[in-house]
Amino acid sequence: MINLHLIGIGTGNPDHLTAQAVRAMNDADLILLPRKGDAKVDLIDLRRDICAAVLTRPVRVIEFDLPVRDARHGYLAGVRDWHDAIARSWTAQIAHHLSDGGRLALLVWGDPSLYDSSLRIADRLARDGLSISVQVIPGITSIQALTAAHAISLNRLGRPVLITTGRQLRERGWPSGADDIVVMLDDGSGFASLDPHGIDIWWGAYLGMAQQVTDAGPLGEAGPRIAALRTEARARHGWIMDVYLLRRRAVTTDPAATAGDLPAG
């Protein structure tokens, strides 16, 4: 039996780990750290730093090369094939390093339950016949880090918030019925595809890390600045992780809402 712990590590700052995450790491028999290529060396370094900062007993820490996604056959097909390849790489590491069973920990950016595929990949291991139990240790999400960095609330009074991706925003436009949306996994083209009139943006990259950068303002003014910041930061670090909140200033009237439920401005 493999007891798999998917441990949310927030944005890579050891101070953001929960006490539960620290206990789970120290209780592990094996921690697997994926390498994502030279361009993202900072990511493996951050995972190494976290292990060095919080491990208080000898725990085997093994690094392995993560398969690369092939986008030639379309987005969904490419992602499914990629997840299959990652599942096979996990299985190979387990067979080599944890053949008699035990507690395996994987360190997941943010929270494993929000826009992360670790749970779907773990399901593949179970379907392939591996005896496995899964426990999720929640972490700080990039959304929490974003709103904290800007000292703002995620939602307006009595209003919902929709979470989507840059690809969905680019291909389908502004989501119907939403006035406040969080956009993740954007290559920079999502907000650039919108008519900026009446929209504000709060953006952040490398949130919680030493290289954190943020910007905010009316989309028509802040959008070009953010695009330039993304380009410069990606060139400097070889990778970028960012997230942003978009908010329409004119709130769509909801017949079910009372005047007291709507924001003042």
Side-chain angles (χ1 to χ4, degrees):
M1 167 67 73
I2 299 297
N3 297 306
L4 173 60
H5 287 75
L6 301 176
I7 301 174
I9 60 172
T11 57
N13 185 338
D15 291 342
H16 289 179
L17 266 68
T18 65
Q20 184 184 17
V22 173
R23 285 195 302 271
M25 289 178 64
N26 278 282
D27 287 343
D29 298 306
L30 174 68
I31 298 175
L32 289 179
L33 303 184
R35 291 188 295 259
K36 296 187 176 183
D38 293 339
K40 295 187 177 181
V41 67
D42 286 356
L43 299 180
I44 186 68
D45 283 344
L46 284 168
R47 282 185 167 101
R48 291 169 183 151
D49 291 345
I50 287 172
C51 290
V54 307
L55 291 179
T56 58
R57 58 173 290 270
V59 176
R60 280 187 298 166
V61 178
I62 302 296
E63 299 179 11
F64 70 103
D65 292 322
L66 198 68
V68 177
R69 179 164 66 90
D70 186 347
R72 291 177 299 176
H73 305 296
Y75 176 76
L76 291 178
V79 169
R80 283 192 292 266
D81 291 344
W82 184 43
H83 289 172
D84 288 340
I86 294 174
R88 289 193 296 271
S89 69
W90 287 9
T91 300
Q93 295 299 321
I94 290 169
H96 186 68
H97 299 289
L98 213 60
S99 58
D100 294 329
R103 294 165 297 205
L104 169 62
L106 286 162
L107 309 184
V108 178
W109 296 111
D111 188 305
S113 64
L114 179 62
Y115 274 99
D116 183 81
S117 295
S118 299
L119 283 165
R120 285 184 283 271
I121 297 167
D123 286 342
R124 283 167 164 78
L125 270 62
R127 291 200 303 267
D128 291 341
L130 186 67
S131 180
I132 185 170
S133 66
V134 179
Q135 181 176 352
V136 174
I137 311 297
I140 291 176
T141 68
S142 59
I143 298 173
Q144 292 170 297
L146 175 72
T147 55
H150 287 284
I152 58 171
S153 296
L154 177 61
N155 68 299
R156 288 184 280 187
L157 184 63
R159 304 301 301 176
V161 176
L162 185 143
I163 303 173
T164 188
T165 65
R167 184 176 64 88
Q168 293 283 344
L169 188 64
R170 182 179 64 252
E171 294 178 358
R172 302 188 180 187
W174 189 282
S176 176
D179 293 303
D180 301 81
I181 62 174
V182 172
V183 184
M184 308 179 73
L185 305 177
D186 190 8
D187 62 2
S189 62
F191 64 77
S193 68
L194 299 174
D195 176 357
H197 179 71
I199 299 174
D200 294 318
I201 185 171
W202 290 262
W203 171 84
Y206 313 103
L207 291 160
M209 304 179 189
Q211 59 267 51
Q212 173 177 300
V213 58
T214 61
D215 201 344
L219 182 58
E221 300 172 10
R225 294 197 307 265
I226 292 169
L229 284 169
R230 288 191 90 262
T231 299
E232 189 275 333
R234 190 181 187 92
R236 186 192 319 153
H237 301 292
W239 61 278
I240 189 168
M241 289 194 296
D242 60 345
V243 62
Y244 54 90
L245 169 67
L246 294 173
R247 181 165 284 164
R248 280 175 168 165
R249 283 181 226 120
V251 177
T252 302
T253 302
D254 181 352
T258 65
D261 289 330
L262 297 177

